[in-house]
Amino acid sequence: MKNSLTIAFIGGGNMAGAMLGGLLGNLCQPQDILVVDPNQETRSAWESKGVATAAAASEVLSQYKVWIYAVKPQVMQQAIHASHRFLQKDTLVISIAAGLTTTSLAGWLDQAEPASATRLIRCMPNTPALIRQGITGLYAMPDVPSSDRDLAQDVLSSIGEVVWVDNEAQLDAVTALSGSGPAYVFLFIESLIAGGISLGLSQEQAQRLALSTLKGASLLAAGSEDPPARLRENVTSPGGTTAAALNRFAQAILQDWYRRPCRRLMTALPKWHRSRPQPASPLKIQERNNMNTTRFEKMTIKQTLLAVAIMGLIIVSSNILVQPQFHINAWLTWGAITYPICFLVTDLLNRRFGPARARRVVSIGFIFAVLASYAVADSRIAIASGVAFLTAQLLDILVFDRLRDKSWWKAPFIAGWLAAIIDTFLFFGVAFAGTDVPWVTLATGDVGIKLIINAMLLAPFRVLMWNLGRPRSVQA
Ligand SMILES: NC(=O)C1=CN([C@@H]2O[C@H](COP(=O)(O)OP(=O)(O)OC[C@H]3O[C@@H](n4cnc5c(N)ncnc54)[C@H](O)[C@@H]3O)[C@@H](O)[C@H]2O)C=CC1
Ligand SMILES: O=C(O)[C@@H]1CCC=N1
């Protein structure tokens, strides 16, 4: 480990550039910095400043005390997956990504190194960091040691002011206000310059007047005991030109242009990560293009055969145990108790090997479901069993995949319940609708018990997700 403060930026784009502009020659020297960025041009720009670069995460990252994740939110999960195995116990992780919560980030980091995930700080800087005039909102998870908070504060103070927030949601407000704020101000400057030019000033005159006005007004507001509203009134003579301009200007610009986007941004931010397909999409695209992903373990033929055998055994047993001699009472069969275990198997396969391979095992299981039902019952029941099995399993795989990055229990629980309901009513409906069998009563009893068993299967899922259900690439 180097002696001076060493910082690795994962993502060396605009914001990393602004932060490094403030840090270099101040808190750090170029030799203390590493920039990991797949973009060749970006790396060359950093190398020309004497900063070490890498195209991808590697062992060298472990020498850096502070890691700043400065990638776009949509590639964050991928960037963490590629780098987290090099985390050390004392690495301080800082994320500057907008809208990604510490819960998501810690979840992604935790998969490799639980101890490091607690040293996680989220922050929201802004581009004036480049000239050490930035302001950064900071939020630390409750168990982050004070030494790490101090270190984060030192790093970010070197590029401007810092504001700690106690409540993570406030960081979204910081993003809307000061994170994005420079863009609002630059647009305002552009508008002032364009307005000045349209009134007969030269570009240079208009620019000087606009910039100096903004600088002077900002300094006055920062140094004055009067609130900005009072300072505005001081400029505005009743019935004068300023009042006339402000009437249109304040409404048209400050309200429509600033407040609404700001509010919209604030309400949009928490949903941002959820609503956009990007966080999972690089991995999903990879999965579609290449089943041998780094996120999911490749499934060997032996593993496939074993999974199919286990799935087949549960399906065949359940088909036998659903027969009249195994009815526990008028509305419950032993088959209803064993069958949900199929979904536990699918979920573990999905978690470890990914949805494509889980679907492959389920497709072979489907053949078992039809054959097994056909052997013990008539063709209508066999069709019902096959249709219900396939539909419910594919739904389970889809929903599980969508929820896999949420809290550990959400994917198996929600996917399992939806699948159990669809499975039961499809099976009983297709098999018995229009016959004398009291299928609605049977289905209701059946679904009730399946839902309870599904909830109980969360315990084995929780135990097995760390070994049987854990991708080997994540174990590394
Ligand atoms: N630009 C701004 O004013 C602010 C940005 N932020 C946050 O900073 C983050 C970065 O934003 P910008 O710098 O504007 O984006 P950017 O696009 O300029 O930079 C992102 C960099 O990440 C690199 N990258 C992509 N995939 C990568 C991977 N897997 N591993 C390592 N590097 C990878 C890209 O090549 C690019 O150079 C975002 O999460 C944003 O929310 C926060 C505050 C202000
Ligand atoms: O536009 C963005 O997403 C980032 C967040 C704050 C400033 N830029």
Side-chain angles (χ1 to χ4, degrees), residues 19 23 27 68 94 96 121-125 134-138 151-162:
M19 293 175 78
L23 283 166
L27 196 69
I68 301 181
I94 298 178
I96 67 166
I121 289 184
R122 246 187 91 189
C123 77
M124 181 45 55
I135 184 154
T136 303
L138 280 158
L151 181 55
Q153 166 134 351
D154 285 348
V155 170
L156 294 153
S157 300
S158 72
I159 55 170
E161 292 185 49
V162 298

mmCIF file with all atom_site columns, all heavy atoms in Angstrom, residues 19 23 27 68 94 96 121-125 134-138 151-162:
data_model
loop_
_atom_site.group_PDB
_atom_site.id
_atom_site.type_symbol
_atom_site.label_atom_id
_atom_site.label_alt_id
_atom_site.label_comp_id
_atom_site.label_asym_id
_atom_site.label_entity_id
_atom_site.label_seq_id
_atom_site.pdbx_PDB_ins_code
_atom_site.Cartn_x
_atom_site.Cartn_y
_atom_site.Cartn_z
_atom_site.occupancy
_atom_site.B_iso_or_equiv
_atom_site.pdbx_formal_charge
_atom_site.auth_seq_id
_atom_site.auth_comp_id
_atom_site.auth_asym_id
_atom_site.auth_atom_id
_atom_site.pdbx_PDB_model_num
ATOM 1   N N   . MET A 1 19  ? -13.515 16.489 -10.721 1.00 0.00 ? 19  MET A N   1
ATOM 2   C CA  . MET A 1 19  ? -12.996 16.239 -9.364  1.00 0.00 ? 19  MET A CA  1
ATOM 3   C C   . MET A 1 19  ? -11.475 16.170 -9.370  1.00 0.00 ? 19  MET A C   1
ATOM 4   O O   . MET A 1 19  ? -10.807 16.715 -8.487  1.00 0.00 ? 19  MET A O   1
ATOM 5   C CB  . MET A 1 19  ? -13.598 14.939 -8.807  1.00 0.00 ? 19  MET A CB  1
ATOM 6   C CG  . MET A 1 19  ? -15.084 15.048 -8.550  1.00 0.00 ? 19  MET A CG  1
ATOM 7   S SD  . MET A 1 19  ? -15.815 13.490 -8.027  1.00 0.00 ? 19  MET A SD  1
ATOM 8   C CE  . MET A 1 19  ? -15.312 13.439 -6.313  1.00 0.00 ? 19  MET A CE  1
ATOM 9   N N   . LEU A 1 23  ? -8.535  18.012 -7.340  1.00 0.00 ? 23  LEU A N   1
ATOM 10  C CA  . LEU A 1 23  ? -7.712  17.230 -6.404  1.00 0.00 ? 23  LEU A CA  1
ATOM 11  C C   . LEU A 1 23  ? -6.220  17.305 -6.721  1.00 0.00 ? 23  LEU A C   1
ATOM 12  O O   . LEU A 1 23  ? -5.391  17.388 -5.811  1.00 0.00 ? 23  LEU A O   1
ATOM 13  C CB  . LEU A 1 23  ? -8.131  15.746 -6.467  1.00 0.00 ? 23  LEU A CB  1
ATOM 14  C CG  . LEU A 1 23  ? -9.423  15.356 -5.756  1.00 0.00 ? 23  LEU A CG  1
ATOM 15  C CD1 . LEU A 1 23  ? -9.876  13.974 -6.190  1.00 0.00 ? 23  LEU A CD1 1
ATOM 16  C CD2 . LEU A 1 23  ? -9.206  15.368 -4.243  1.00 0.00 ? 23  LEU A CD2 1
ATOM 17  N N   . LEU A 1 27  ? -4.809  17.848 -2.916  1.00 0.00 ? 27  LEU A N   1
ATOM 18  C CA  . LEU A 1 27  ? -4.735  16.740 -1.950  1.00 0.00 ? 27  LEU A CA  1
ATOM 19  C C   . LEU A 1 27  ? -3.862  15.604 -2.485  1.00 0.00 ? 27  LEU A C   1
ATOM 20  O O   . LEU A 1 27  ? -3.295  14.836 -1.713  1.00 0.00 ? 27  LEU A O   1
ATOM 21  C CB  . LEU A 1 27  ? -6.153  16.226 -1.678  1.00 0.00 ? 27  LEU A CB  1
ATOM 22  C CG  . LEU A 1 27  ? -6.338  15.355 -0.456  1.00 0.00 ? 27  LEU A CG  1
ATOM 23  C CD1 . LEU A 1 27  ? -6.167  16.167 0.808   1.00 0.00 ? 27  LEU A CD1 1
ATOM 24  C CD2 . LEU A 1 27  ? -7.718  14.713 -0.469  1.00 0.00 ? 27  LEU A CD2 1
ATOM 25  N N   . ILE A 1 68  ? -13.513 5.829  -6.054  1.00 0.00 ? 68  ILE A N   1
ATOM 26  C CA  . ILE A 1 68  ? -14.658 6.683  -6.381  1.00 0.00 ? 68  ILE A CA  1
ATOM 27  C C   . ILE A 1 68  ? -15.313 6.123  -7.636  1.00 0.00 ? 68  ILE A C   1
ATOM 28  O O   . ILE A 1 68  ? -14.699 6.120  -8.722  1.00 0.00 ? 68  ILE A O   1
ATOM 29  C CB  . ILE A 1 68  ? -14.226 8.157  -6.575  1.00 0.00 ? 68  ILE A CB  1
ATOM 30  C CG1 . ILE A 1 68  ? -13.571 8.663  -5.284  1.00 0.00 ? 68  ILE A CG1 1
ATOM 31  C CG2 . ILE A 1 68  ? -15.427 9.016  -6.958  1.00 0.00 ? 68  ILE A CG2 1
ATOM 32  C CD1 . ILE A 1 68  ? -13.110 10.110 -5.303  1.00 0.00 ? 68  ILE A CD1 1
ATOM 33  N N   . ILE A 1 94  ? -16.710 5.380  -2.492  1.00 0.00 ? 94  ILE A N   1
ATOM 34  C CA  . ILE A 1 94  ? -17.566 6.562  -2.654  1.00 0.00 ? 94  ILE A CA  1
ATOM 35  C C   . ILE A 1 94  ? -18.257 6.447  -4.006  1.00 0.00 ? 94  ILE A C   1
ATOM 36  O O   . ILE A 1 94  ? -17.605 6.189  -5.025  1.00 0.00 ? 94  ILE A O   1
ATOM 37  C CB  . ILE A 1 94  ? -16.728 7.863  -2.598  1.00 0.00 ? 94  ILE A CB  1
ATOM 38  C CG1 . ILE A 1 94  ? -16.037 8.005  -1.237  1.00 0.00 ? 94  ILE A CG1 1
ATOM 39  C CG2 . ILE A 1 94  ? -17.617 9.076  -2.861  1.00 0.00 ? 94  ILE A CG2 1
ATOM 40  C CD1 . ILE A 1 94  ? -15.150 9.238  -1.091  1.00 0.00 ? 94  ILE A CD1 1
ATOM 41  N N   . ILE A 1 96  ? -20.610 8.498  -6.770  1.00 0.00 ? 96  ILE A N   1
ATOM 42  C CA  . ILE A 1 96  ? -21.133 9.826  -7.100  1.00 0.00 ? 96  ILE A CA  1
ATOM 43  C C   . ILE A 1 96  ? -22.357 9.708  -8.007  1.00 0.00 ? 96  ILE A C   1
ATOM 44  O O   . ILE A 1 96  ? -22.862 10.703 -8.509  1.00 0.00 ? 96  ILE A O   1
ATOM 45  C CB  . ILE A 1 96  ? -20.067 10.737 -7.753  1.00 0.00 ? 96  ILE A CB  1
ATOM 46  C CG1 . ILE A 1 96  ? -19.672 10.218 -9.147  1.00 0.00 ? 96  ILE A CG1 1
ATOM 47  C CG2 . ILE A 1 96  ? -18.842 10.887 -6.881  1.00 0.00 ? 96  ILE A CG2 1
ATOM 48  C CD1 . ILE A 1 96  ? -18.886 11.256 -9.947  1.00 0.00 ? 96  ILE A CD1 1
ATOM 49  N N   . ILE A 1 121 ? -19.942 5.471  1.093   1.00 0.00 ? 121 ILE A N   1
ATOM 50  C CA  . ILE A 1 121 ? -20.451 6.843  1.202   1.00 0.00 ? 121 ILE A CA  1
ATOM 51  C C   . ILE A 1 121 ? -20.960 7.264  -0.166  1.00 0.00 ? 121 ILE A C   1
ATOM 52  O O   . ILE A 1 121 ? -20.323 6.984  -1.190  1.00 0.00 ? 121 ILE A O   1
ATOM 53  C CB  . ILE A 1 121 ? -19.338 7.786  1.724   1.00 0.00 ? 121 ILE A CB  1
ATOM 54  C CG1 . ILE A 1 121 ? -19.098 7.466  3.210   1.00 0.00 ? 121 ILE A CG1 1
ATOM 55  C CG2 . ILE A 1 121 ? -19.729 9.249  1.535   1.00 0.00 ? 121 ILE A CG2 1
ATOM 56  C CD1 . ILE A 1 121 ? -18.112 8.337  3.912   1.00 0.00 ? 121 ILE A CD1 1
ATOM 57  N N   . ARG A 1 122 ? -22.141 7.856  -0.171  1.00 0.00 ? 122 ARG A N   1
ATOM 58  C CA  . ARG A 1 122 ? -22.686 8.376  -1.428  1.00 0.00 ? 122 ARG A CA  1
ATOM 59  C C   . ARG A 1 122 ? -22.480 9.877  -1.421  1.00 0.00 ? 122 ARG A C   1
ATOM 60  O O   . ARG A 1 122 ? -22.671 10.519 -0.384  1.00 0.00 ? 122 ARG A O   1
ATOM 61  C CB  . ARG A 1 122 ? -24.191 8.122  -1.466  1.00 0.00 ? 122 ARG A CB  1
ATOM 62  C CG  . ARG A 1 122 ? -24.641 7.157  -2.518  1.00 0.00 ? 122 ARG A CG  1
ATOM 63  C CD  . ARG A 1 122 ? -26.141 7.138  -2.566  1.00 0.00 ? 122 ARG A CD  1
ATOM 64  N NE  . ARG A 1 122 ? -26.649 8.109  -3.526  1.00 0.00 ? 122 ARG A NE  1
ATOM 65  C CZ  . ARG A 1 122 ? -27.937 8.425  -3.637  1.00 0.00 ? 122 ARG A CZ  1
ATOM 66  N NH1 . ARG A 1 122 ? -28.826 7.862  -2.853  1.00 0.00 ? 122 ARG A NH1 1
ATOM 67  N NH2 . ARG A 1 122 ? -28.332 9.287  -4.545  1.00 0.00 ? 122 ARG A NH2 1
ATOM 68  N N   . CYS A 1 123 ? -22.137 10.422 -2.562  1.00 0.00 ? 123 CYS A N   1
ATOM 69  C CA  . CYS A 1 123 ? -22.030 11.870 -2.589  1.00 0.00 ? 123 CYS A CA  1
ATOM 70  C C   . CYS A 1 123 ? -22.519 12.428 -3.910  1.00 0.00 ? 123 CYS A C   1
ATOM 71  O O   . CYS A 1 123 ? -22.672 11.694 -4.882  1.00 0.00 ? 123 CYS A O   1
ATOM 72  C CB  . CYS A 1 123 ? -20.607 12.312 -2.289  1.00 0.00 ? 123 CYS A CB  1
ATOM 73  S SG  . CYS A 1 123 ? -19.504 12.127 -3.653  1.00 0.00 ? 123 CYS A SG  1
ATOM 74  N N   . MET A 1 124 ? -22.814 13.684 -3.919  1.00 0.00 ? 124 MET A N   1
ATOM 75  C CA  . MET A 1 124 ? -23.280 14.358 -5.127  1.00 0.00 ? 124 MET A CA  1
ATOM 76  C C   . MET A 1 124 ? -22.479 15.652 -5.288  1.00 0.00 ? 124 MET A C   1
ATOM 77  O O   . MET A 1 124 ? -22.777 16.665 -4.666  1.00 0.00 ? 124 MET A O   1
ATOM 78  C CB  . MET A 1 124 ? -24.787 14.646 -4.994  1.00 0.00 ? 124 MET A CB  1
ATOM 79  C CG  . MET A 1 124 ? -25.409 15.324 -6.194  1.00 0.00 ? 124 MET A CG  1
ATOM 80  S SD  . MET A 1 124 ? -24.968 14.682 -7.834  1.00 0.00 ? 124 MET A SD  1
ATOM 81  C CE  . MET A 1 124 ? -25.396 12.961 -7.708  1.00 0.00 ? 124 MET A CE  1
ATOM 82  N N   . PRO A 1 125 ? -21.398 15.568 -6.070  1.00 0.00 ? 125 PRO A N   1
ATOM 83  C CA  . PRO A 1 125 ? -20.597 16.766 -6.316  1.00 0.00 ? 125 PRO A CA  1
ATOM 84  C C   . PRO A 1 125 ? -21.178 17.559 -7.480  1.00 0.00 ? 125 PRO A C   1
ATOM 85  O O   . PRO A 1 125 ? -22.244 17.222 -7.991  1.00 0.00 ? 125 PRO A O   1
ATOM 86  C CB  . PRO A 1 125 ? -19.236 16.175 -6.694  1.00 0.00 ? 125 PRO A CB  1
ATOM 87  C CG  . PRO A 1 125 ? -19.560 14.843 -7.302  1.00 0.00 ? 125 PRO A CG  1
ATOM 88  C CD  . PRO A 1 125 ? -20.895 14.385 -6.767  1.00 0.00 ? 125 PRO A CD  1
ATOM 89  N N   . GLY A 1 134 ? -16.618 23.701 -6.146  1.00 0.00 ? 134 GLY A N   1
ATOM 90  C CA  . GLY A 1 134 ? -17.780 22.814 -6.159  1.00 0.00 ? 134 GLY A CA  1
ATOM 91  C C   . GLY A 1 134 ? -18.486 22.807 -4.822  1.00 0.00 ? 134 GLY A C   1
ATOM 92  O O   . GLY A 1 134 ? -18.026 23.408 -3.842  1.00 0.00 ? 134 GLY A O   1
ATOM 93  N N   . ILE A 1 135 ? -19.616 22.140 -4.808  1.00 0.00 ? 135 ILE A N   1
ATOM 94  C CA  . ILE A 1 135 ? -20.259 21.836 -3.525  1.00 0.00 ? 135 ILE A CA  1
ATOM 95  C C   . ILE A 1 135 ? -20.776 20.409 -3.629  1.00 0.00 ? 135 ILE A C   1
ATOM 96  O O   . ILE A 1 135 ? -21.339 20.014 -4.655  1.00 0.00 ? 135 ILE A O   1
ATOM 97  C CB  . ILE A 1 135 ? -21.358 22.847 -3.137  1.00 0.00 ? 135 ILE A CB  1
ATOM 98  C CG1 . ILE A 1 135 ? -21.900 22.485 -1.736  1.00 0.00 ? 135 ILE A CG1 1
ATOM 99  C CG2 . ILE A 1 135 ? -22.487 22.918 -4.162  1.00 0.00 ? 135 ILE A CG2 1
ATOM 100 C CD1 . ILE A 1 135 ? -22.473 23.664 -0.988  1.00 0.00 ? 135 ILE A CD1 1
ATOM 101 N N   . THR A 1 136 ? -20.550 19.659 -2.572  1.00 0.00 ? 136 THR A N   1
ATOM 102 C CA  . THR A 1 136 ? -20.877 18.232 -2.604  1.00 0.00 ? 136 THR A CA  1
ATOM 103 C C   . THR A 1 136 ? -21.794 17.875 -1.445  1.00 0.00 ? 136 THR A C   1
ATOM 104 O O   . THR A 1 136 ? -21.502 18.215 -0.297  1.00 0.00 ? 136 THR A O   1
ATOM 105 C CB  . THR A 1 136 ? -19.574 17.395 -2.489  1.00 0.00 ? 136 THR A CB  1
ATOM 106 O OG1 . THR A 1 136 ? -18.702 17.767 -3.543  1.00 0.00 ? 136 THR A OG1 1
ATOM 107 C CG2 . THR A 1 136 ? -19.880 15.904 -2.580  1.00 0.00 ? 136 THR A CG2 1
ATOM 108 N N   . GLY A 1 137 ? -22.890 17.214 -1.754  1.00 0.00 ? 137 GLY A N   1
ATOM 109 C CA  . GLY A 1 137 ? -23.743 16.645 -0.710  1.00 0.00 ? 137 GLY A CA  1
ATOM 110 C C   . GLY A 1 137 ? -23.208 15.270 -0.379  1.00 0.00 ? 137 GLY A C   1
ATOM 111 O O   . GLY A 1 137 ? -22.821 14.513 -1.273  1.00 0.00 ? 137 GLY A O   1
ATOM 112 N N   . LEU A 1 138 ? -23.175 14.934 0.908   1.00 0.00 ? 138 LEU A N   1
ATOM 113 C CA  . LEU A 1 138 ? -22.612 13.650 1.327   1.00 0.00 ? 138 LEU A CA  1
ATOM 114 C C   . LEU A 1 138 ? -23.593 12.907 2.217   1.00 0.00 ? 138 LEU A C   1
ATOM 115 O O   . LEU A 1 138 ? -24.258 13.508 3.061   1.00 0.00 ? 138 LEU A O   1
ATOM 116 C CB  . LEU A 1 138 ? -21.358 13.888 2.166   1.00 0.00 ? 138 LEU A CB  1
ATOM 117 C CG  . LEU A 1 138 ? -20.061 14.207 1.428   1.00 0.00 ? 138 LEU A CG  1
ATOM 118 C CD1 . LEU A 1 138 ? -19.118 14.917 2.368   1.00 0.00 ? 138 LEU A CD1 1
ATOM 119 C CD2 . LEU A 1 138 ? -19.423 12.934 0.924   1.00 0.00 ? 138 LEU A CD2 1
ATOM 120 N N   . LEU A 1 151 ? -12.341 11.089 6.158   1.00 0.00 ? 151 LEU A N   1
ATOM 121 C CA  . LEU A 1 151 ? -11.542 10.949 4.939   1.00 0.00 ? 151 LEU A CA  1
ATOM 122 C C   . LEU A 1 151 ? -12.347 11.431 3.723   1.00 0.00 ? 151 LEU A C   1
ATOM 123 O O   . LEU A 1 151 ? -11.829 12.178 2.879   1.00 0.00 ? 151 LEU A O   1
ATOM 124 C CB  . LEU A 1 151 ? -11.123 9.476  4.762   1.00 0.00 ? 151 LEU A CB  1
ATOM 125 C CG  . LEU A 1 151 ? -10.265 9.158  3.551   1.00 0.00 ? 151 LEU A CG  1
ATOM 126 C CD1 . LEU A 1 151 ? -9.012  10.023 3.516   1.00 0.00 ? 151 LEU A CD1 1
ATOM 127 C CD2 . LEU A 1 151 ? -9.865  7.673  3.545   1.00 0.00 ? 151 LEU A CD2 1
ATOM 128 N N   . ALA A 1 152 ? -13.614 11.026 3.655   1.00 0.00 ? 152 ALA A N   1
ATOM 129 C CA  . ALA A 1 152 ? -14.470 11.461 2.541   1.00 0.00 ? 152 ALA A CA  1
ATOM 130 C C   . ALA A 1 152 ? -14.582 12.982 2.553   1.00 0.00 ? 152 ALA A C   1
ATOM 131 O O   . ALA A 1 152 ? -14.520 13.640 1.517   1.00 0.00 ? 152 ALA A O   1
ATOM 132 C CB  . ALA A 1 152 ? -15.843 10.818 2.644   1.00 0.00 ? 152 ALA A CB  1
ATOM 133 N N   . GLN A 1 153 ? -14.732 13.517 3.762   1.00 0.00 ? 153 GLN A N   1
ATOM 134 C CA  . GLN A 1 153 ? -14.857 14.977 3.873   1.00 0.00 ? 153 GLN A CA  1
ATOM 135 C C   . GLN A 1 153 ? -13.584 15.672 3.387   1.00 0.00 ? 153 GLN A C   1
ATOM 136 O O   . GLN A 1 153 ? -13.642 16.671 2.687   1.00 0.00 ? 153 GLN A O   1
ATOM 137 C CB  . GLN A 1 153 ? -15.168 15.338 5.334   1.00 0.00 ? 153 GLN A CB  1
ATOM 138 C CG  . GLN A 1 153 ? -15.001 16.788 5.626   1.00 0.00 ? 153 GLN A CG  1
ATOM 139 C CD  . GLN A 1 153 ? -16.154 17.383 6.434   1.00 0.00 ? 153 GLN A CD  1
ATOM 140 O OE1 . GLN A 1 153 ? -17.183 16.747 6.644   1.00 0.00 ? 153 GLN A OE1 1
ATOM 141 N NE2 . GLN A 1 153 ? -15.977 18.608 6.871   1.00 0.00 ? 153 GLN A NE2 1
ATOM 142 N N   . ASP A 1 154 ? -12.411 15.096 3.745   1.00 0.00 ? 154 ASP A N   1
ATOM 143 C CA  . ASP A 1 154 ? -11.132 15.683 3.298   1.00 0.00 ? 154 ASP A CA  1
ATOM 144 C C   . ASP A 1 154 ? -11.053 15.669 1.772   1.00 0.00 ? 154 ASP A C   1
ATOM 145 O O   . ASP A 1 154 ? -10.675 16.662 1.152   1.00 0.00 ? 154 ASP A O   1
ATOM 146 C CB  . ASP A 1 154 ? -9.944  14.858 3.833   1.00 0.00 ? 154 ASP A CB  1
ATOM 147 C CG  . ASP A 1 154 ? -9.722  15.123 5.305   1.00 0.00 ? 154 ASP A CG  1
ATOM 148 O OD1 . ASP A 1 154 ? -10.326 16.079 5.828   1.00 0.00 ? 154 ASP A OD1 1
ATOM 149 O OD2 . ASP A 1 154 ? -8.952  14.359 5.929   1.00 0.00 ? 154 ASP A OD2 1
ATOM 150 N N   . VAL A 1 155 ? -11.413 14.518 1.178   1.00 0.00 ? 155 VAL A N   1
ATOM 151 C CA  . VAL A 1 155 ? -11.309 14.389 -0.284  1.00 0.00 ? 155 VAL A CA  1
ATOM 152 C C   . VAL A 1 155 ? -12.219 15.419 -0.946  1.00 0.00 ? 155 VAL A C   1
ATOM 153 O O   . VAL A 1 155 ? -11.805 16.158 -1.844  1.00 0.00 ? 155 VAL A O   1
ATOM 154 C CB  . VAL A 1 155 ? -11.697 12.959 -0.731  1.00 0.00 ? 155 VAL A CB  1
ATOM 155 C CG1 . VAL A 1 155 ? -11.822 12.878 -2.247  1.00 0.00 ? 155 VAL A CG1 1
ATOM 156 C CG2 . VAL A 1 155 ? -10.679 11.944 -0.223  1.00 0.00 ? 155 VAL A CG2 1
ATOM 157 N N   . LEU A 1 156 ? -13.445 15.492 -0.475  1.00 0.00 ? 156 LEU A N   1
ATOM 158 C CA  . LEU A 1 156 ? -14.411 16.349 -1.169  1.00 0.00 ? 156 LEU A CA  1
ATOM 159 C C   . LEU A 1 156 ? -14.261 17.816 -0.804  1.00 0.00 ? 156 LEU A C   1
ATOM 160 O O   . LEU A 1 156 ? -14.583 18.692 -1.610  1.00 0.00 ? 156 LEU A O   1
ATOM 161 C CB  . LEU A 1 156 ? -15.823 15.811 -0.949  1.00 0.00 ? 156 LEU A CB  1
ATOM 162 C CG  . LEU A 1 156 ? -15.901 14.451 -1.659  1.00 0.00 ? 156 LEU A CG  1
ATOM 163 C CD1 . LEU A 1 156 ? -16.921 13.538 -1.041  1.00 0.00 ? 156 LEU A CD1 1
ATOM 164 C CD2 . LEU A 1 156 ? -16.139 14.611 -3.146  1.00 0.00 ? 156 LEU A CD2 1
ATOM 165 N N   . SER A 1 157 ? -13.709 18.082 0.388   1.00 0.00 ? 157 SER A N   1
ATOM 166 C CA  . SER A 1 157 ? -13.455 19.489 0.747   1.00 0.00 ? 157 SER A CA  1
ATOM 167 C C   . SER A 1 157 ? -12.370 20.064 -0.138  1.00 0.00 ? 157 SER A C   1
ATOM 168 O O   . SER A 1 157 ? -12.281 21.283 -0.309  1.00 0.00 ? 157 SER A O   1
ATOM 169 C CB  . SER A 1 157 ? -12.982 19.625 2.191   1.00 0.00 ? 157 SER A CB  1
ATOM 170 O OG  . SER A 1 157 ? -13.948 19.139 3.049   1.00 0.00 ? 157 SER A OG  1
ATOM 171 N N   . SER A 1 158 ? -11.534 19.183 -0.672  1.00 0.00 ? 158 SER A N   1
ATOM 172 C CA  . SER A 1 158 ? -10.434 19.705 -1.488  1.00 0.00 ? 158 SER A CA  1
ATOM 173 C C   . SER A 1 158 ? -10.937 20.199 -2.848  1.00 0.00 ? 158 SER A C   1
ATOM 174 O O   . SER A 1 158 ? -10.182 20.796 -3.602  1.00 0.00 ? 158 SER A O   1
ATOM 175 C CB  . SER A 1 158 ? -9.349  18.647 -1.662  1.00 0.00 ? 158 SER A CB  1
ATOM 176 O OG  . SER A 1 158 ? -9.819  17.657 -2.532  1.00 0.00 ? 158 SER A OG  1
ATOM 177 N N   . ILE A 1 159 ? -12.205 19.932 -3.160  1.00 0.00 ? 159 ILE A N   1
ATOM 178 C CA  . ILE A 1 159 ? -12.732 20.451 -4.435  1.00 0.00 ? 159 ILE A CA  1
ATOM 179 C C   . ILE A 1 159 ? -13.886 21.431 -4.202  1.00 0.00 ? 159 ILE A C   1
ATOM 180 O O   . ILE A 1 159 ? -14.628 21.756 -5.110  1.00 0.00 ? 159 ILE A O   1
ATOM 181 C CB  . ILE A 1 159 ? -13.198 19.291 -5.357  1.00 0.00 ? 159 ILE A CB  1
ATOM 182 C CG1 . ILE A 1 159 ? -14.209 18.392 -4.645  1.00 0.00 ? 159 ILE A CG1 1
ATOM 183 C CG2 . ILE A 1 159 ? -12.005 18.499 -5.854  1.00 0.00 ? 159 ILE A CG2 1
ATOM 184 C CD1 . ILE A 1 159 ? -14.878 17.387 -5.552  1.00 0.00 ? 159 ILE A CD1 1
ATOM 185 N N   . GLY A 1 160 ? -14.042 21.874 -2.980  1.00 0.00 ? 160 GLY A N   1
ATOM 186 C CA  . GLY A 1 160 ? -15.089 22.865 -2.690  1.00 0.00 ? 160 GLY A CA  1
ATOM 187 C C   . GLY A 1 160 ? -15.736 22.616 -1.342  1.00 0.00 ? 160 GLY A C   1
ATOM 188 O O   . GLY A 1 160 ? -15.143 22.000 -0.465  1.00 0.00 ? 160 GLY A O   1
ATOM 189 N N   . GLU A 1 161 ? -16.971 23.084 -1.207  1.00 0.00 ? 161 GLU A N   1
ATOM 190 C CA  . GLU A 1 161 ? -17.674 22.922 0.067   1.00 0.00 ? 161 GLU A CA  1
ATOM 191 C C   . GLU A 1 161 ? -18.327 21.546 0.167   1.00 0.00 ? 161 GLU A C   1
ATOM 192 O O   . GLU A 1 161 ? -18.567 20.891 -0.861  1.00 0.00 ? 161 GLU A O   1
ATOM 193 C CB  . GLU A 1 161 ? -18.782 23.973 0.190   1.00 0.00 ? 161 GLU A CB  1
ATOM 194 C CG  . GLU A 1 161 ? -18.261 25.386 0.336   1.00 0.00 ? 161 GLU A CG  1
ATOM 195 C CD  . GLU A 1 161 ? -19.417 26.345 0.565   1.00 0.00 ? 161 GLU A CD  1
ATOM 196 O OE1 . GLU A 1 161 ? -20.269 26.081 1.427   1.00 0.00 ? 161 GLU A OE1 1
ATOM 197 O OE2 . GLU A 1 161 ? -19.461 27.355 -0.150  1.00 0.00 ? 161 GLU A OE2 1
ATOM 198 N N   . VAL A 1 162 ? -18.649 21.155 1.404   1.00 0.00 ? 162 VAL A N   1
ATOM 199 C CA  . VAL A 1 162 ? -19.393 19.903 1.573   1.00 0.00 ? 162 VAL A CA  1
ATOM 200 C C   . VAL A 1 162 ? -20.606 20.129 2.477   1.00 0.00 ? 162 VAL A C   1
ATOM 201 O O   . VAL A 1 162 ? -20.571 20.974 3.369   1.00 0.00 ? 162 VAL A O   1
ATOM 202 C CB  . VAL A 1 162 ? -18.540 18.752 2.166   1.00 0.00 ? 162 VAL A CB  1
ATOM 203 C CG1 . VAL A 1 162 ? -17.383 18.385 1.266   1.00 0.00 ? 162 VAL A CG1 1
ATOM 204 C CG2 . VAL A 1 162 ? -18.055 19.081 3.557   1.00 0.00 ? 162 VAL A CG2 1
#
